[in-house]
């Protein structure tokens, strides 16, 4: 059974989520990939304000395709998350509480998640057209010159994801593999 959550995702709410839980996310999330992350961190390092409120924000690592007529967004599947690892600890320290992508995260990101109370959600790779159906509204808020990788504000409803790494550092990529091997080996 999926747990319904609403953004903005407070640190307290993020700390309640557990590795392996299926969630349906509704509310506002932002899109950003590595080029946008680099710019966001450069702004933060200069002490300049970010183009959106990072406090309790969830960022989806996606570069959507152009929207078809009558739709707010095109196919919107997750991209590989490790490309954001150099920037994520800074954004988590500034208030980001949720990240959505696919693939493993580095130890520095996990340490920041544990320290500040953030979670990493996995979205289904290869299902971008289906995930786009959960997007009710999309607008570019920064870095339009990046095209598909511009920062967008998305309003989503029942966006499906799985808590891959929770705020305690428990990691589904590790626990899931261990459980599979134990079951396979009859332990």
């Amino acid at each position: 059974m999926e747990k319904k959550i609403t953004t903005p995702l407070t640190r307290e709410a993020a700390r309640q989520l557990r590795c392996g839980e299926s969630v349906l996310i509704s509310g506002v999330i932002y899109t950003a990939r590595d080029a946008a992350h680099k710019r966001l961190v450069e702004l933060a390092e200069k002490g300049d304000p970010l183009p959106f409120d990072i406090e309790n924000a969830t960022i989806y690592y996606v570069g959507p395709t152009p929207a078809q007529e009558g739709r707010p967004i095109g196919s919107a599947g997750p991209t590989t998350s490790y490309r954001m690892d150099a920037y994520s600890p800074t954004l988590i320290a500034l208030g980001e509480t949720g990240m959505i992508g696919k693939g493993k995260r580095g130890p520095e990101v996990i340490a920041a998640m544990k320290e500040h109370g953030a979670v990493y959600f996995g979205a289904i790779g290869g299902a971008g057209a289906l995930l786009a159906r959960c997007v009710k509204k999309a607008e570019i808020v920064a870095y339009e010159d990046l095209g598909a990788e511009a920062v967008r504000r998305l309003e989503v409803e029942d966006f499906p994801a799985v808590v891959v790494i929770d705020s305690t550092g428990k990691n589904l990529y590790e626990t899931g593999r261990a459980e599979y091997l134990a079951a396979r080996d009859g332990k």
Side-chain angles (χ1 to χ4, degrees), residues 71 74-77 124 126-135 157-160:
R71 298 290 310 149
S75 183
I124 302 166
L130 295 173
L131 292 172
R133 292 182 186 175
C134 300
V135 178
E157 185 177 314
D158 292 339
F159 184 97

Side-chain angles (χ1 to χ4, degrees), residues 30-44 49-52 54 59-64 79 83-84 86-88 90-91 94 96 140-152:
Y30 294 91
T31 69
R33 288 182 43 164
D34 39 326
H37 271 73
K38 182 176 190 260
R39 290 183 186 183
L40 294 170
V41 169
E42 288 170 349
L43 282 176
L50 300 185
F52 63 93
I54 193 74
I59 298 179
Y60 182 25
Y61 306 149
V62 61
T79 195
R83 292 194 305 262
M84 276 50 77
Y87 313 110
S88 293
T90 299
L91 297 179
L94 290 172
E96 177 185 26
I140 294 176
V141 295
Y143 314 134
E144 189 168 0
D145 63 301
L146 295 177
E149 296 189 34
V151 174
R152 288 173 172 76

Side-chain angles (χ1 to χ4, degrees), residues 88-109:
S88 293
T90 299
L91 297 179
I92 292 167
L94 290 172
E96 177 185 26
T97 52
M99 299 161 283
I100 306 170
K102 67 178 182 180
K104 295 182 179 181
R105 304 309 301 266
E108 297 84 7
V109 177

